[in-house]
Each structure stands twice: as structure tokens, then as C-alpha cells.
Amino acid sequence: MIKRVLASQKGASSVLVILLLLVLVVFGVAALTTALSGLRLGQKVSDWNESYYRVEDQAARCWAEIDAAVSRAVEADEPFEQALENELKQLNFETTLKGNAITYEVCSDGARLHVTLVLDMEQSPRLRPTEWYQIQS
């Protein structure tokens, strides 16, 4: 009797359908997991880019303010170095003047950008960036 039940093909197609559905569900869950992780990674990259460009915008604005301070120092009646130090102290952010290099950092939403500008004094005082990099927090 057992041989007859095992030799019978009844229900074999149902077992195959169930196995096929199980395989499809596993692949579906794997595809969904992959898609969701890609979406999360894409959102993180978007957030990182947004914060970087926000802090880069601040750095560019600071550069413009430093450039204006250099121009005012050139036109001042006192010696250029002293006038430049006085002008940099009046800015709304911290700068470091060392030799002919001006260094500053800007922060926004956890992103930090370090910038070093060098004064090129050959023709007229001109600022040239030598360092411009993001500091990972």
C-alpha cells in the first residue's frame, strides 16, 4: 500500500506550484530589500551633497569678504600688513593670518570646510586658494 501511494503522481503538481511560489517570494523579498537599501543610500548621498554645497557656499562668501578686506587694506593709510590684520579682525568669522596665507574654516549641519588662501603680491594683492577640503566629522 505504501508503494502504491508513493508511486502515485497525485499532488505532485501542487508541490511544484508551492515550491515555485516560495522561490518567487524569496526573490521578491530580496529585490525589495535591495531596492530599499539603494533608496536609503541615495538619500544619504543627497543629504551629504546638500550639506557640502551649503558649507561651500558659506566658504565662498567668506572668501569674498576676505577679498574685500584685502582691497580695503590696500587703500588704507597704514602699512598693508597692519591694515590687513585690522580688517580681518572686523570680519564676522575667525581667520588666521600667517605670513601671506589666510586660513579659515566654516561649519554647517555637521559639515566643515577648511580653506587656505594665499596673497599673491606680484601685480596687486590677489587671493589664490591653496587648500580647500572637507573635514569629516
Side-chain angles (χ1 to χ4, degrees):
M1 179 166 152
I2 294 178
K3 281 186 178 181
R4 199 179 327 150
V5 170
L6 291 177
S8 161
Q9 295 293 322
K10 292 182 181 178
S13 61
S14 297
V15 171
L16 286 176
V17 168
I18 290 172
L19 287 176
L20 182 62
L21 284 175
L22 185 63
V23 167
L24 287 175
V25 166
V26 167
F27 281 131
V29 168
L32 184 62
T33 304
T34 303
L36 288 176
S37 67
L39 180 66
R40 283 192 300 268
L41 180 61
Q43 186 61 45
K44 280 185 182 181
V45 168
S46 175
D47 293 344
W48 291 334
N49 285 338
E50 184 179 332
S51 71
Y52 174 78
Y53 285 115
R54 188 177 303 117
V55 79
E56 187 182 68
D57 178 56
Q58 288 179 349
R61 290 175 195 267
C62 291
W63 183 355
E65 289 183 38
I66 292 172
D67 191 42
V70 168
S71 296
R72 288 191 301 270
V74 167
E75 296 169 359
D77 294 332
E78 55 190 323
F80 176 72
E81 290 81 14
Q82 183 62 37
L84 182 58
E85 279 185 32
N86 293 338
E87 288 292 334
L88 291 177
K89 287 179 185 174
Q90 294 176 12
L91 298 176
N92 293 329
F93 54 93
E94 187 176 331
T95 59
T96 305
L97 178 62
K98 192 179 218 181
N100 66 341
I102 301 170
T103 303
Y104 64 96
E105 286 186 10
V106 291
C107 301
S108 175
D109 298 334
R112 293 186 335 170
L113 200 66
H114 174 90
V115 179
T116 301
L117 304 172
V118 173
L119 281 167
D120 186 2
M121 301 294 282
E122 288 185 11
Q123 295 175 349
S124 66
R126 192 183 109 211
L127 291 171
R128 186 172 40 87
T130 57
E131 290 182 337
W132 187 286
Y133 60 85
Q134 185 177 12
I135 300 171
Q136 299 292 330
S137 303

